[in-house]
């Protein structure tokens, strides 16, 4: 299907995946059709009712002075929750003490709860199963984390962007280019380095940098 000389048109979700197929199969450019991403209009920050941020934070005991970091997606291992925990643990104490990290998705959290305990940040982390108020959580959050080990596309990355959130994402994610194009966050380059993720999180959680988003 993908080999050079074929006639089949190839519908692709992400530009990054096109480059990979071209590298391995020498597929011709004209055979690829890049599909535009679709996203629910309810995810736009302008669609969220006024006061949602304050109401969600109040109901979940998150103070106005605290940083709410958010990660959404099932399969916590593949999505890089362990990487996020290490980045939070590496924060300077004066910033780390203000952090609340919420992880939402269908997966067993026990392994990552143990990791958070080993890192000494168990009181900073809250795990939740899949829920239907993601747009409200995004409205209440300050930074969206998605340091996945692999992600073919990553629609949740776009949901965070249209919610007005700065995003930290690994370059391996198919939709990481949208973060770069929007200049709304940090793309951690391949090959992955934990230090790069740590530095990106410190940068976004400094008062001056976060106010720019």
């Amino acid at each position: 299907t993908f080999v050079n000389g074929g006639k089949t048109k190839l519908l692709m979700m992400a530009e990054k995946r096109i480059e990979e197929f071209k590298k391995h199969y020498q597929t011709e450019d004209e055979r690829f059709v890049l599909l535009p991403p679709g996203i629910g209009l309810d995810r736009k920050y302008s669609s969220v009712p006024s006061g949602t941020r304050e109401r969600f934070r109040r109901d979940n005991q998150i103070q106005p002075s605290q940083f709410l970091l958010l990660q959404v997606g099932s399969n916590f291992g593949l999505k890089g929750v362990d990487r996020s925990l290490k980045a939070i643990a590496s924060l300077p104490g004066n910033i780390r003490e203000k952090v609340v990290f919420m992880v939402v998705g269908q997966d067993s959290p026990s392994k990552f709860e143990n990791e958070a305990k080993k890192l000494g940040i168990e009181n900073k982390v809250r795990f939740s199963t899949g829920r239907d108020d993601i747009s409200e959580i995004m409205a209440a959050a300050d930074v969206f984390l998605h340091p996945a080990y692999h992600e073919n596309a990553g629609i949740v990355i776009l949901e965070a962007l249209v919610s007005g959130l700065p995003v930290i994402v690994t370059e391996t994610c198919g939709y990481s280019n949208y973060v770069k194009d929007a200049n709304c966050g940090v793309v951690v380059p391949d090959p992955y380095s934990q230090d790069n993720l740590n530095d990106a999180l410190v940068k976004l959680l400094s008062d001056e940098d976060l106010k720019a988003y």
Side-chain angles (χ1 to χ4, degrees):
T1 301
F2 294 97
V3 295
N4 187 283
K7 302 299 182 185
T8 307
K9 288 290 186 179
L10 307 166
L11 306 181
M12 307 297 292
M13 294 180 63
E15 213 168 299
K16 188 173 183 63
R17 303 288 88 88
I18 292 177
E19 295 306 315
E20 291 173 355
F21 282 116
K22 286 168 61 178
K23 176 182 178 181
H24 291 289
Y25 297 103
Q26 294 76 54
T27 315
E28 302 88 338
D29 287 340
E30 60 270 18
R31 292 177 55 205
F32 290 104
V33 178
L34 184 62
L35 300 174
I39 191 168
L41 295 178
D42 63 318
R43 291 295 194 250
K44 294 178 64 177
Y45 67 88
S46 57
S47 300
V48 179
S50 176
T52 295
R53 176 183 173 88
E54 292 76 17
R55 182 168 56 255
F56 183 90
R57 283 177 165 251
R58 182 176 62 251
D59 292 346
N60 290 274
Q61 293 79 52
I62 301 170
Q63 301 302 315
S65 60
Q66 290 181 298
F67 295 117
L68 175 56
L69 313 185
L70 176 63
Q71 186 160 354
V72 177
S74 299
N75 193 335
F76 297 157
L78 186 64
K79 303 303 183 187
V81 171
D82 60 322
R83 293 173 166 181
S84 297
L85 293 173
K86 290 172 185 174
I88 292 167
S90 76
L91 290 168
N94 62 319
I95 298 179
R96 188 174 62 250
E97 67 183 10
K98 298 179 181 179
V99 163
V100 175
F101 179 38
M102 183 172 286
V103 184
V104 181
Q106 298 289 356
D107 202 350
S108 171
S110 57
K111 172 183 175 181
F112 303 95
E113 288 173 336
N114 289 336
E115 178 69 13
K117 189 172 183 178
K118 289 178 183 176
L119 293 168
I121 57 170
E122 67 271 22
N123 64 328
K124 300 295 180 184
V125 186
R126 305 179 187 180
F127 288 92
S128 176
T129 56
R131 44 198 294 171
D132 57 8
D133 60 348
I134 297 299
S135 59
E136 296 181 16
I137 305 176
M138 287 187 173
D142 297 295
V143 173
F144 188 81
L145 290 166
H146 198 81
Y149 285 82
H150 181 76
E151 182 75 79
N152 191 43
I155 192 65
V156 71
I157 298 168
L158 301 185
E159 292 178 349
L161 287 176
V162 300
S163 296
L165 275 173
V167 175
I168 301 178
V169 62
T170 41
E171 188 180 10
T172 188
C173 297
Y175 284 168
S176 62
N177 61 294
Y178 290 105
V179 175
K180 183 177 180 180
D181 293 345
N183 192 28
C184 191
V186 180
V187 177
V188 179
D190 292 333
Y192 176 78
S193 163
Q194 183 67 40
D195 286 342
N196 285 340
L197 178 62
N198 298 351
D199 291 345
L201 187 57
V202 170
K203 179 178 185 295
L204 285 188
L205 293 183
S206 66
D207 290 343
E208 298 78 8
D209 289 308
L210 198 59
K211 288 176 182 176
Y213 292 95

